[in-house]
Amino acid sequence: MMELPIGPTYLEINLDTIASNTNNIKRLIGNKELMAVVKGNAYTHDMIEVSKTVLKNGASRLGVGRLEEGIYLRKAGITAPILNMCLNMEGQEREIVKYDIAQTVCDLDTVHRLSCEAAKMNKSAKIHVKIDTGMGRIGIFPEDALNFISEVSAMQNIEIEGVYTHFATPHDKEFMSYQLKLFSSVLKRLNQEGYSIPLKHCASSEAFVAMPDTWEKFDMVRIGDLIYGVYNSEEEKDKIKVNFAQTFKTTIVFLKKLGPNTSIGYDRTYITDKDTIIATLPAGYNDGYTKLYSNNGIVLVRGKKAPVVGRVCADQMMIDVTNIQDAKVGDEVVLWGRQGNETVLPVYDYIFMGDKQRVPKVFIKNNKPWKVKSIFGEKVF
């Protein structure tokens, strides 16, 4: 088998942690369905490996943000129900039906096109109707929901599998309660008119923790952040135990001792004020470590924190290791994640920057390296 070279900078994805996080969530929700959100390449963790892991550990459905993501999962052999939570483009209806992707809808023209394509293929197109209760993004206004669903129900080859909404401000419980009230009123009217829709859902990770009413009375929860061990508030830490599943690693490749009043990096944005030991790392914004961490990022070396100094370059960056005894070339550096007893977590949005083709992913399974994916292909250890 071909050897796959792993460079000094890579992402370590702990599938054991993702499995444990999923199990912990499923234990809390009991018999409710768990949709694991795997959009954005599973928040950079790898859609295929994460999907297989969560489906073995309590999730029964997957949520994606593009039709292409759903097709990608189908072609990888994933047969579980998949919901595209964003709108499709006109002309994609055939693929939606062909690959059995449940589609979010909020306009009649889309549903009509899905109905026509499903009829041609002698199949049913599954849809989830999105209700806009205050997000202001996509969805039908609550007052229009009954008429919309009435018209959709009359269309052939259409299966209304779900109806849902999304919360705009999970940390603002007053507005969340307002949105929940609107959504509940829609469901009440639908029930009064005799519509039976299998899946009613509104809770994502933050709402799931902040307000149990957003899922206890419904059929499913949609969890993204918590699957990957990302907390959005201190309150979440008190209510559910999850661990961060990703470690972004690199290596010291060069050390130098500089005197005071010496500039570091482009545009001389950092000037030393004393004798300083600078370590150069082979990682930069081309690897997903954003320039926004220039002069304010923190990394871990030998289990201790070291500051990023100077501007983060495309392929390299510098850190100050003056206070880290015996730091040497070849030492592992954690850009984010855990090392020893210390943890450095990225700003939430920055996680999505780390999914670069040239950065290999090493998957941990059963507490040891299991598989690597790189630009050269895949290898199971």
Side-chain angles (χ1 to χ4, degrees):
M1 184 179 294
M2 173 179 73
E3 290 297 321
L4 300 180
I6 298 297
T9 302
Y10 62 95
L11 282 170
E12 189 175 272
I13 309 299
N14 196 314
L15 297 177
D16 296 334
T17 298
I18 289 173
S20 176
N21 293 346
T22 307
N23 271 308
N24 288 346
I25 295 163
K26 180 59 178 173
R27 278 196 293 270
L28 276 179
I29 67 175
N31 62 355
K32 309 293 182 184
E33 285 210 53
L34 172 58
M35 174 178 285
V37 179
V38 295
K39 64 182 180 179
N41 203 22
Y43 293 43
T44 77
H45 293 71
D46 191 276
M47 291 181 73
I48 303 301
E49 305 304 338
V50 168
S51 295
K52 291 177 179 179
T53 299
V54 296
L55 289 170
K56 290 179 180 178
N57 289 277
S60 53
R61 295 173 181 267
L62 303 171
V64 299
R66 293 288 186 273
L67 172 61
E68 296 91 327
E69 293 178 329
I71 294 173
Y72 179 64
L73 291 174
R74 288 286 185 248
K75 289 189 172 183
I78 303 294
T79 60
I82 298 172
L83 171 65
N84 179 17
M85 299 182 294
C86 295
L87 302 184
N88 66 292
M89 298 296 293
E90 184 175 352
Q92 293 181 321
E93 291 81 15
R94 182 172 181 79
E95 284 70 29
I96 292 170
V97 179
K98 176 182 176 180
Y99 290 101
D100 192 26
I101 309 295
Q103 177 59 49
T104 294
V105 299
C106 54
D107 72 277
L108 292 173
D109 288 343
T110 293
V111 183
H112 177 71
R113 290 193 297 270
L114 284 168
S115 172
C116 291
E117 287 297 334
K120 291 177 186 177
M121 301 169 70
N122 196 28
K123 297 177 70 175
S124 291
K126 299 182 179 68
I127 63 171
H128 285 230
V129 178
K130 183 71 174 287
I131 310 296
D132 181 4
T133 58
M135 185 69 177
R137 193 166 58 181
I138 62 172
I140 301 159
F141 291 122
E143 60 268 25
D144 299 325
L146 184 59
N147 287 337
F148 181 87
I149 288 176
S150 175
E151 292 195 50
V152 168
S153 296
M155 295 186 190
Q156 299 297 311
N157 300 84
I158 292 293
E159 177 185 344
I160 306 177
E161 184 180 70
V163 57
Y164 74 110
T165 194
H166 188 60
F167 294 106
T169 56
H171 300 304
D172 181 347
K173 291 186 179 180
E174 182 177 353
F175 193 74
M176 189 189 298
S177 295
Y178 167 75
Q179 287 189 262
L180 181 60
K181 183 177 180 180
L182 288 178
F183 184 59
S184 297
S185 69
V186 169
L187 299 182
K188 182 178 179 179
R189 291 198 299 273
L190 290 173
N191 185 61
Q192 289 172 342
E193 294 297 321
Y195 294 103
S196 179
I197 299 175
L199 296 174
K200 283 83 64 182
H201 51 106
C202 57
S204 57
S205 289
E206 292 175 287
F208 164 67
V209 173
M211 187 179 292
D213 281 353
T214 61
W215 61 270
E216 289 180 341
K217 300 176 182 178
F218 303 106
D219 307 294
M220 185 172 74
V221 294
R222 310 183 305 268
I223 303 296
D225 294 350
L226 292 173
I227 293 285
Y228 310 100
V230 176
Y231 287 114
N232 290 284
S233 69
E234 291 301 314
E235 180 184 18
E236 290 180 343
K237 295 179 181 180
D238 295 333
K239 293 188 176 181
I240 185 169
K241 175 64 174 177
V242 294
N243 291 299
F244 193 57
Q246 184 182 110
T247 308
F248 196 1
K249 295 183 176 182
T250 190
T251 304
I252 294 176
V253 293
F254 190 68
L255 284 169
K256 55 186 174 292
K257 185 175 182 179
L258 301 176
N261 200 34
T262 302
S263 61
I264 306 294
Y266 286 120
D267 297 326
R268 306 183 72 233
T269 61
Y270 185 86
I271 308 293
T272 62
D273 59 1
K274 61 182 183 302
D275 286 343
T276 305
I277 300 175
I278 297 296
T280 300
L281 312 179
Y285 58 78
N286 277 343
D287 302 290
Y289 196 81
T290 174
K291 289 173 71 173
L292 297 173
Y293 276 134
S294 299
N295 290 312
N296 66 7
I298 298 293
V299 304
L300 299 175
V301 182
R302 293 180 170 252
K304 297 180 180 179
K305 294 180 179 180
V308 175
V309 294
R311 186 160 293 172
V312 174
C313 312
D315 310 301
Q316 300 177 83
M317 56 187 283
M318 289 71 72
I319 61 174
D320 182 348
V321 294
T322 307
N323 297 323
I324 298 178
Q325 189 175 10
D326 297 328
K328 65 181 188 299
V329 171
D331 278 352
E332 176 189 89
V333 179
V334 167
L335 303 178
W336 62 62
R338 186 176 184 85
Q339 187 186 63
N341 295 321
E342 288 282 359
T343 301
V344 172
L345 297 179
V347 174
Y348 174 72
D349 294 349
Y350 297 174
I351 297 173
F352 292 87
M353 298 181 181
D355 198 21
K356 303 295 185 180
Q357 186 182 30
R358 76 178 190 178
V359 178
K361 289 184 172 72
V362 176
F363 298 92
I364 305 299
K365 190 174 183 179
N366 298 324
N367 296 311
K368 61 184 179 181
W370 166 66
K371 179 188 283 190
V372 60
K373 293 186 179 183
S374 77
I375 59 174
F376 299 103
E378 299 184 18
K379 179 183 177 181
V380 176
F381 294 109

